[in-house]
Amino acid sequence: MKYIVLLGDGMSDEKLPQLGDKTPLQAARTPHMDYMARRGKFGLVRTVPPGLPPGSDVANLSVFGYDPRSCYTGRSPLEAASMGVNLGSGDVAFRVNMVNLKPTGTTLIMQDYSAGHISTEEARELIDDLQRQLGDDEFQFFPGVGYRHLLVWRNGRDKLTSTPPHDITGKSILDYFPRGDGADKLICLMNSSQMVMSRHPVNKQRMEEGKLPANSIWLWGHGRSPRMETYKERFGLSGAVISAVDLIRGIGIYAGLDIIRVPGATGYIDTNYRGKAEAALTALQSHDYVYLHVEAPDEAAHGGNLEHKLKAIEDFDALVVGPVLEGMRQFGEYRILCTPDHPTPLRLMTHTSEPVPFIIYGGEERENPAVGGYDEDEALKTGLMLVEGFRLMEMMMK
């Protein structure tokens, strides 16, 4: 038996007036997901347990088959694992976003949580200079991908609260600084970063090209290393992870899965969809399981861009789901799980914890005439609701 998860990050949404009171999933052309929904097990799943934040970390842990209530310690330790950064027992990791802050009156506004989707090469120069000028034995900066980077606080403190920058787009940052034990040190780093970055050649070049400068860092998503069973221990499976995002790769590393890096995988709407699908099918020749993650719908929704979200959903269906659906037939017995991790409503430009529509398809040919296609309303009509998202893996394996 071969298993594959096709994860369209943040695909689920609300009904929008500009789409004739349809959700993006209802408005987008998705013939391959529609095909599976009419023939497979189709319903809603709650991937975010009550009391936990609706982040991609929590939601994807659930889809991987782990109960976040027992293993979730924060986002950044997972990203650190993907980046090859070792955390000691006393170390605390933080996500470092490259952001653009806009002065407005007497305050600063979070204008862009990604600094205009700054490139990895540009961001690396900035991170390297931040490490040279602000790093020391206590605080160390590590470069990641695009706008996503890492800070490690050696023997640090974790009794803190912080806010994801994509949650406060267009808002004053003054009410959202880190709070708690040691927050003053983090705020000092954030403020000091603005001095380093404001005069940096990378930002001067970006402004000359009409791009947003990355004029500050934003620290959030902290945590210590989690303890997790491997997939071999938990499910008896070998497997691989395909994603452009360090968070998803990090979960894979803690799960003991191989990480497959696909050229051209960017985490945005220009990602190499087809290359991911081809890599997944190749990986299944030697593995039992593949987790294929596409970030693009989520990024489009964080930017409030309806056109990009519709395109990301349609490209996911045409260039990932379609080829995988066709390619899985070579294996005889197989299961495909297709789902978002969480909703990312365009209206809010951030995540919510509502249930999302899932499909488990294993080659069934008999069509359910009551199912119109793959979307939130059709999933609700089936009456199937899985309230513990981490049991999706168990359902797929049964």
Side-chain angles (χ1 to χ4, degrees), residues 33 49 95 214 231 242 340 381:
M33 288 188 282
R95 158 69 83 83
Y231 249 54
I242 297 171
K381 282 167 31 180

Side-chain angles (χ1 to χ4, degrees), residues 281 284-285 321-332 334 336:
L281 293 169
L284 283 170
Q285 300 288 343
V321 181
V324 167
L325 181 59
E326 178 64 29
M328 290 298 286
R329 296 191 173 106
Q330 69 184 290
F331 298 115
Y334 64 89
I336 300 171

Side-chain angles (χ1 to χ4, degrees), residues 274-291:
R274 194 176 296 279
K276 286 186 172 185
E278 292 171 355
L281 293 169
T282 299
L284 283 170
Q285 300 288 343
S286 56
H287 293 80
D288 306 313
Y289 167 91
V290 169
Y291 195 97

